[in-house]
Amino acid sequence: MCTAATYKTKDFYFGRTLDYEFSYGDEVTVTPRKYPFQFRYMGEKKSHYAIIGMAHVVGDYPLYYDGINEKGVGMAGLNFVGNAVYQEVSDDRENVAQYEFIPWILTQSASVKEARELLGKMNLVGTPFNEKLPSAGLHWIIADKEKAITVECMADGLHIYDNPVGVLTNNPPFETQMFLLNNYMNLSEKQPENHFSEKLPLKTYSRGMGAFGLPGDLSSASRFAKVAFTKMHAISGEGEAESVSQFFHILGSVDQQRGCCEVAEGKYEITLYTSCCNADRGIYYYTTYDNHQITAVDMHHEDLDGSSLSLYPLVTGEQIRWVN
């Protein structure tokens, strides 16, 4: 289970939580412009936009979970198990395997508009990367500073939705998630007024009661509502440090703690990492479950005209600043 969000102050920010019971060995990965991307059905792409994101690298191939490109477009894949149904390979379409969908879009899209044009020509197919890594059931958020869309491939075809809240979690499908926000239209950042009955002298007894009824459980529908509310009301200054800090607070509202979501006996889903990308500057910030200090990787400190991946293993141990 995961949560993704967008945020905008002076710059545009994009990121996600990755919630799971174990890690595949994730690394912040910079793919430069001349890295030869081998696509299963679409051949080799030798020149393209550079990408930075979180990936599991297998045999020098980056399997991206999320990332941004040098043009400011962000994309993330989130679990969509039970609803994701991929298409069949077709001779008259551009066939893109699920595992290469993120690089297919980010290597050649300078905007969400260009990404939509690519989506109009492609089939999203379920060909696995290899026998040990079968296709994952996912849906995706694609965003730039102007807008966001959600992409879902289901039994009745490929769906592309405008995403006005800039948030994505997991099931149910995106249209249903948006509809369920109607349940919370009475919520507010302000203190509530008594509309229950003018005959009763009801009063607020605590701060924050305007958001009374905002869900706090770990289900994907509740996380969607919680992050949508938090993001839509979040206020930050224009500076980088305060913008990044606020973004981590937005996604921190749905952190998963070990012990609260059991997926098998003795196994618990946790927030393995939280990312925040400054898509305008090409900086990938992250924290991990056991490391709350923000770590940053700047793609522009790499040779973006090179041909080799740059890999940064995650800092996972807690960093404590002693002051005495």
Side-chain angles (χ1 to χ4, degrees):
M1 312 296 279
C2 310
T3 305
T6 63
Y7 190 57
K8 188 176 179 181
T9 57
K10 179 181 178 182
D11 290 340
F12 170 62
Y13 298 88
F14 177 89
R16 59 94 56 82
T17 65
L18 192 144
D19 306 324
Y20 209 58
E21 62 269 27
F22 65 88
S23 170
Y24 283 95
D26 317 319
E27 299 174 284
V28 179
T29 303
V30 179
T31 301
R33 300 176 185 124
K34 300 298 176 59
Y35 172 84
F37 254 118
Q38 299 284 347
F39 292 99
R40 184 63 62 96
Y41 301 102
M42 300 306 297
E44 184 179 68
K45 187 175 289 294
K46 295 182 179 180
S47 181
H48 49 75
Y49 298 138
I51 302 170
I52 184 170
M54 194 71 75
H56 172 46
V57 179
V58 182
D60 199 44
Y61 193 97
L63 300 171
Y64 276 107
Y65 307 142
D66 56 83
I68 57 172
N69 67 17
E70 61 181 297
K71 297 298 184 180
V73 180
M75 184 172 178
L78 286 76
N79 268 339
F80 195 46
V81 178
N83 278 308
V85 178
Y86 299 118
Q87 297 166 297
E88 298 295 326
V89 174
S90 173
D91 292 337
D92 60 353
R93 305 285 287 175
E94 295 180 345
N95 298 292
V96 179
Q98 167 268 316
Y99 69 84
E100 61 191 13
F101 186 30
I102 290 178
W104 178 255
I105 294 295
L106 294 186
T107 54
Q108 51 188 329
S109 299
S111 65
V112 169
K113 180 181 178 181
E114 292 185 5
R116 290 194 83 138
E117 291 172 358
L118 289 174
L119 292 168
K121 299 183 289 186
M122 60 169 274
N123 272 347
L124 187 57
V125 304
T127 306
F129 180 75
N130 61 31
E131 293 181 356
K132 295 181 179 180
L133 292 170
S135 291
L138 304 176
H139 60 173
W140 292 264
I141 181 172
I142 305 172
D144 60 21
K145 65 173 59 179
E146 301 299 332
K147 67 181 309 180
I149 59 174
T150 295
V151 180
E152 295 180 340
C153 196
M154 302 172 67
D156 58 346
L158 188 69
H159 301 274
I160 306 166
Y161 302 105
D162 287 332
N163 186 331
V165 295
V167 173
L168 188 65
T169 57
N170 313 104
N171 289 314
F174 181 73
E175 277 193 319
T176 304
Q177 295 275 33
M178 286 297 298
F179 177 80
L180 291 175
L181 291 183
N182 288 299
N183 294 336
Y184 309 106
M185 69 171 67
N186 63 305
L187 302 188
S188 171
E189 78 283 8
K190 302 181 185 300
Q191 288 291 80
E193 298 178 355
N194 177 18
H195 297 290
F196 187 88
S197 172
E198 61 183 16
K199 299 177 181 178
L200 298 175
L202 303 181
K203 297 180 180 179
T204 59
Y205 54 84
S206 170
R207 292 182 176 182
M209 292 182 66
F212 200 85
L214 183 66
D217 64 86
L218 300 179
S219 68
S220 53
S222 292
R223 284 184 284 108
F224 188 94
K226 182 71 178 292
V227 169
F229 180 85
T230 305
K231 175 203 162 173
M232 301 300 271
H233 292 280
I235 297 174
S236 171
E238 298 287 294
E240 180 72 354
E242 52 196 325
S243 299
V244 170
S245 175
Q246 184 71 317
F247 189 91
F248 278 101
H249 281 298
I250 292 168
L251 286 183
S253 68
V254 291
D255 248 0
Q256 296 213 33
Q257 298 79 29
R258 183 178 286 113
C260 294
C261 180
E262 187 178 61
V263 295
E265 186 173 355
K267 294 183 179 181
Y268 300 93
E269 186 167 274
I270 62 173
T271 299
L272 293 172
Y273 73 81
T274 303
S275 67
C276 167
C277 303
N278 184 322
D280 292 326
R281 302 187 190 184
I283 304 172
Y284 193 100
Y285 300 94
Y286 72 88
T287 61
T288 61
Y289 189 83
D290 289 315
N291 177 23
H292 294 83
Q293 177 177 292
I294 297 172
T295 304
V297 180
D298 189 334
M299 73 187 301
H300 295 289
H301 290 174
E302 306 297 324
D303 178 12
L304 294 186
D305 285 320
S307 60
S308 300
L309 301 177
S310 296
L311 308 177
Y312 291 88
L314 299 193
V315 180
T316 57
E318 193 67 84
Q319 309 293 299
I320 299 175
R321 180 182 179 183
W322 293 90
V323 297
N324 68 356

